[in-house]
Amino acid sequence: MLKGIAASPGVALGKVLIKKEETFEIKQETVLNATEEIDKFNAAISQCETELQKICQHTKENIGEEEALIFEAHIMILQDIELLKKVKEMIQTESTNAAYALSQVRDEFISIFEMMEDAYLKERAADIKDVTDRVIRILLGIQTEDLSHLDEHVIIVAKDLTPSDTAQLDKEKVIGFITETGGSTSHSAIMARTLEIPAVVGVKGALENIKDDDFIAYDGDDGCIYVNPDESCINMLKKKQEEYNTFKESLKQLIGQNSISKDEIQVELAANIGTPDDLEGVLKNDAEGIGLYRSEFLYMDRNNLPSEDEQFEAYKKVAEGMENKPVVIRTLDVGGDKEINYLDLPKEMNPFLGYRAIRVCLDRKDIFKTQLRALLRASHYGNIKIMFPMISSVEEIRSAKAILSGCKKELQNENLPFNQNIEVGIMIEIPAAAVISDLLAKEVDFFSIGTNDLIQYTVAVDRMNQSISYLYTPFHPALLRLIKTVIDNGHNQGIWVGMCGEVAGNPDLIPILLGMGLDEFSMSAGSVLKARYIVKNTSQAIMAKKIDDILNLSTAEDVKQYINQLKV
Ligand code: PEP
Ligand code: MG
């Protein structure tokens, strides 16, 4: 048995597919026969072209013509006479291996493109890297895994899954996934909950102990993984799976009901989404709004920035799909574990403390303005609210709002309709923001507490690092005190306070948050009905009386025990 961090509930039983690591090293080697090496290079180019043509066709049929253009452009790079000529010359004159020659010529080309003024041409550097990497992998005999088209039902086991890997998973065939790295709030874990796929992350030794085609079974709620289990273990987990499914079924009775506490305090139970495709889960689980639309996913898995029109269409689709219910769209929160390769952001020692989110947007105003214009235009079609991530100061809000005002003026001049009174809020996910939330509340229409980051910054624990994950706890008294401060400061200024970090859907903490007066709880869509069940069975007034006691408890363990004793 292996143990990891429970990341997404549900029981999974099935065959393993190991996601192979793709890192490779390109060594310079001397070849004895340059002509043979050139033949090998030509063969790799044509194999790559065939692969790309297949992908292009599949994309055309399943995603769209426009998306397929990327692969057509990649094929054109492969046919670039200048590039091919240079590689062959280098193999010939320096008797060097093809992979090395290609990597050298590629770097030369990339630096030329990167120096170009034109943003479009600049972005072609990422395309060149993509295509040449594909050829190099063929030359080195490294197989690339395509997890988006699988033949059978499998459980993916990987060292790591990036958010974009997770987005590409074949949703029909992937029963679950297990990763060696990551924590319960790394974005692949969050996405698993959105997709309602059972997942365990931070499983030390997973790749050493699990092999392709092994049969594994696990419960995404407790993080215990059984490798090639015996029959009694399989039966035990199947029973758990049945119980889990029965409980989920029973929650469906709550669809269409209000989220009102025992003493009739109404709250809003909303869902977090990453793409317009997640709307289906939001509607199925009867969420009362979208409390967090992580817009950065629109920017991933592609080679260039999404245009204003493309963004407008995505935001409009969500706004219309929610039929006037609130939709909080967060502006680009790139950085941390969410990389966007074509932006070529510098590699940093501490990406979670680095150039990310609003910091990038206030610097790259071109990117920010495009998004704000798209958001404003979409606001005409539903109840959109704009939210800025990673705010640490009043100045940042003022700067962001000034850019927003500029965009409003532009749209007015262009006679394009938008909601003049669109609500603007911020995420409270940095301790500094929580501490000065009385000041920040004067600048905005709402707060949404981002506990995923707030925990990591408050207790100084990287949310992705499984070896210190025992310190990453939402029960830490410091976190609870900060949350209470933020709610009180927001209310004192007359603004509503929500929460879109994973704590909002934590069954143990929902009663406490209710007692603190939280107005909106936004979580994975799959958690909404259970949260409604808890709210309905809790008295806000009774919980409110306990908050002082809870905030004076000394340790996270004491908080947990206090909560457990409330349950009996
Ligand atoms: C958070 O930090 O709590 C949050 C909701 O944002 P993200 O998880 O995308 O960083
Ligand atoms: Mg965050």
Side-chain angles (χ1 to χ4, degrees):
M1 191 189 85
L2 296 166
K3 181 102 177 78
I5 301 164
S8 177
V11 176
L13 298 107
K15 202 170 125 179
V16 167
L17 176 72
I18 305 278
K19 178 181 178 278
K20 315 259 173 347
E21 275 306 290
E22 278 188 16
T23 48
F24 50 83
E25 202 187 339
I26 310 159
K27 289 198 198 112
Q28 180 170 22
E29 283 160 20
T30 308
V31 293
L32 297 175
N33 188 333
T35 318
E36 256 176 34
E37 193 65 10
I38 290 173
D39 287 347
K40 204 172 128 192
F41 176 64
N42 286 334
I45 294 281
S46 58
Q47 185 183 330
C48 186
E49 199 171 324
T50 316
E51 277 179 16
L52 282 169
Q53 250 143 10
K54 266 198 213 151
I55 299 174
C56 187
Q57 193 55 33
H58 178 88
T59 312
K60 250 185 214 158
E61 285 161 14
N62 295 287
I63 306 175
E65 292 273 343
E66 203 178 317
E67 288 78 3
L69 287 178
I70 300 169
F71 301 105
E72 280 178 16
H74 282 190
I75 294 170
M76 277 163 69
I77 295 172
L78 271 189
Q79 294 164 342
D80 185 291
I81 304 202
E82 195 56 28
L83 183 130
L84 300 180
K85 203 170 108 200
K86 281 202 155 200
V87 176
K88 289 178 197 170
E89 266 171 19
M90 188 167 170
I91 299 174
Q92 193 76 54
T93 54
E94 298 181 27
S95 293
T96 192
N97 52 323
Y100 182 77
L102 178 56
S103 71
Q104 295 298 299
V105 175
R106 170 198 61 191
D107 291 349
E108 230 176 85
F109 272 61
I110 287 179
S111 53
I112 296 170
F113 274 88
E114 278 176 344
M115 279 183 315
M116 291 182 177
E117 283 292 315
D118 183 305
Y120 177 82
L121 290 175
K122 231 184 179 128
E123 282 153 18
R124 301 287 64 76
D127 289 329
I128 298 175
K129 169 134 183 31
D130 238 37
V131 186
T132 47
D133 271 357
R134 199 177 271 277
V135 179
I136 291 170
R137 279 196 296 260
I138 295 173
L139 284 166
L140 299 178
I142 298 165
Q143 292 205 340
T144 32
E145 209 117 29
D146 179 6
L147 298 179
S148 59
H149 308 98
L150 299 166
D151 297 329
E152 51 182 345
H153 287 102
V154 287
I155 296 173
I156 307 282
V157 179
K159 178 151 186 56
D160 184 25
L161 283 178
T162 64
S164 76
D165 288 334
T166 316
Q168 284 175 48
L169 292 181
D170 182 340
K171 304 189 178 70
E172 301 297 316
K173 297 284 168 47
V174 175
I175 310 171
F177 71 74
I178 288 172
T179 59
E180 281 199 342
T181 57
S184 67
T185 62
S186 41
H187 283 93
S188 44
I190 292 172
M191 284 168 81
R193 289 193 282 274
T194 303
L195 300 169
E196 299 183 39
I197 299 177
V200 182
V201 299
V203 187
K204 274 194 199 137
L207 290 171
E208 250 169 66
N209 294 289
I210 306 175
K211 302 276 162 285
D212 257 330
D213 295 337
D214 270 347
F215 182 86
I216 59 168
Y218 63 89
D219 180 354
D221 256 328
D222 67 11
C224 295
I225 300 156
Y226 304 88
V227 186
N228 298 319
D230 60 18
E231 215 180 303
S232 72
C233 179
I234 294 179
N235 289 339
M236 181 267 290
L237 277 159
K238 279 194 174 156
K239 196 162 159 256
K240 262 193 171 180
Q241 191 173 40
E242 247 172 59
E243 283 165 8
Y244 178 78
N245 291 341
T246 313
F247 177 63
K248 256 187 105 172
E249 256 328 285
S250 73
L251 287 175
K252 287 194 181 149
Q253 293 165 5
L254 297 176
I255 292 178
Q257 297 197 20
N258 283 331
S259 305
I260 296 185
S261 68
K262 255 183 173 171
D263 51 342
E264 308 212 331
I265 300 294
Q266 169 113 34
V267 292
E268 184 190 322
L269 298 181
N272 295 345
I273 64 166
T275 78
D277 291 344
D278 297 336
L279 256 185
E280 195 187 324
V282 175
L283 300 173
K284 191 179 87 189
N285 288 290
D286 196 30
E288 292 147 29
I290 288 174
L292 169 65
Y293 175 175
R294 290 184 164 91
S295 69
E296 50 277 8
F297 287 100
L298 240 166
Y299 294 69
M300 292 179 186
D301 290 327
R302 50 190 300 146
N303 294 314
N304 46 22
L305 287 162
S307 66
E308 179 182 316
D309 280 346
E310 190 182 342
Q311 293 192 53
F312 163 70
E313 290 300 338
Y315 306 148
K316 175 170 170 252
K317 187 170 170 193
V318 175
E320 287 182 336
M322 289 305 286
E323 293 177 344
N324 242 22
K325 292 191 188 111
V327 175
V328 178
I329 305 185
R330 177 174 74 184
T331 58
L332 181 62
D333 184 9
V334 59
D337 63 338
K338 290 172 289 196
E339 284 184 31
I340 299 180
N341 291 339
Y342 57 86
L343 284 183
D344 273 334
L345 300 182
K347 283 261 168 270
E348 296 179 325
M349 293 284 282
N350 291 302
F352 276 103
L353 297 181
Y355 184 65
R356 61 171 288 205
I358 196 72
R359 303 164 183 188
V360 176
C361 288
L362 292 178
D363 185 37
R364 293 287 308 268
K365 297 199 179 59
D366 51 329
I367 299 178
F368 198 31
K369 276 184 67 179
T370 306
Q371 180 168 39
L372 292 176
R373 282 178 55 99
L375 284 169
L376 285 170
R377 283 173 55 200
S379 70
H380 182 64
Y381 298 89
N383 187 2
I384 289 181
K385 302 167 198 289
I386 296 178
M387 176 158 73
F388 301 129
M390 288 287 291
I391 292 291
S392 64
S393 68
V394 166
E395 295 93 307
E396 281 165 341
I397 302 179
R398 291 186 184 156
S399 306
K401 281 176 73 177
I403 298 171
L404 182 66
S405 296
C407 292
K408 283 184 173 177
K409 281 201 193 94
E410 280 180 20
L411 294 184
Q412 238 154 7
N413 293 340
E414 293 164 38
N415 280 330
L416 288 169
F418 64 92
N419 175 9
Q420 292 276 2
N421 301 315
I422 189 165
E423 278 188 37
V424 176
I426 55 168
M427 294 207 50
I428 302 281
E429 52 186 339
I430 296 181
V435 172
I436 59 161
S437 49
D438 55 333
L439 306 174
L440 301 177
K442 294 183 183 139
E443 311 280 329
V444 291
D445 302 307
F446 67 91
F447 284 157
S448 185
I449 306 173
T451 51
N452 305 339
D453 279 317
L454 189 58
I455 298 173
Q456 77 166 344
Y457 298 135
T458 302
V459 282
V461 170
D462 179 346
R463 69 197 253 194
M464 305 284 290
N465 187 334
Q466 75 277 15
S467 59
I468 45 168
S469 64
Y470 69 98
L471 290 170
Y472 186 96
T473 167
F475 299 99
H476 196 297
L479 180 81
L480 299 178
R481 288 184 183 192
L482 284 179
I483 293 174
K484 178 70 166 53
T485 304
V486 174
I487 297 175
D488 287 349
N489 283 334
H491 288 173
N492 287 340
Q493 281 302 322
I495 66 170
W496 62 268
V497 181
M499 178 180 288
C500 59
E502 294 299 301
V503 170
N506 183 318
D508 287 334
L509 289 166
I510 289 172
I512 294 179
L513 299 171
L514 188 69
M516 289 184 181
L518 191 74
D519 303 297
E520 179 238 33
F521 299 61
S522 194
M523 59 198 78
S524 315
S527 308
V528 167
L529 292 174
K530 187 166 179 191
R532 184 169 295 158
Y533 173 81
I534 297 169
V535 168
K536 278 184 169 303
N537 286 289
T538 309
S539 157
Q540 203 263 354
I542 293 179
M543 283 314 297
K545 289 202 189 100
K546 299 186 188 296
I547 300 301
D548 276 350
D549 284 350
I550 295 171
L551 294 181
N552 280 308
L553 294 170
S554 308
T555 67
E557 207 40 57
D558 292 347
V559 174
K560 269 196 233 168
Q561 272 181 20
Y562 190 102
I563 293 169
N564 280 338
Q565 146 261 305
L566 287 179
K567 288 182 193 160
V568 282

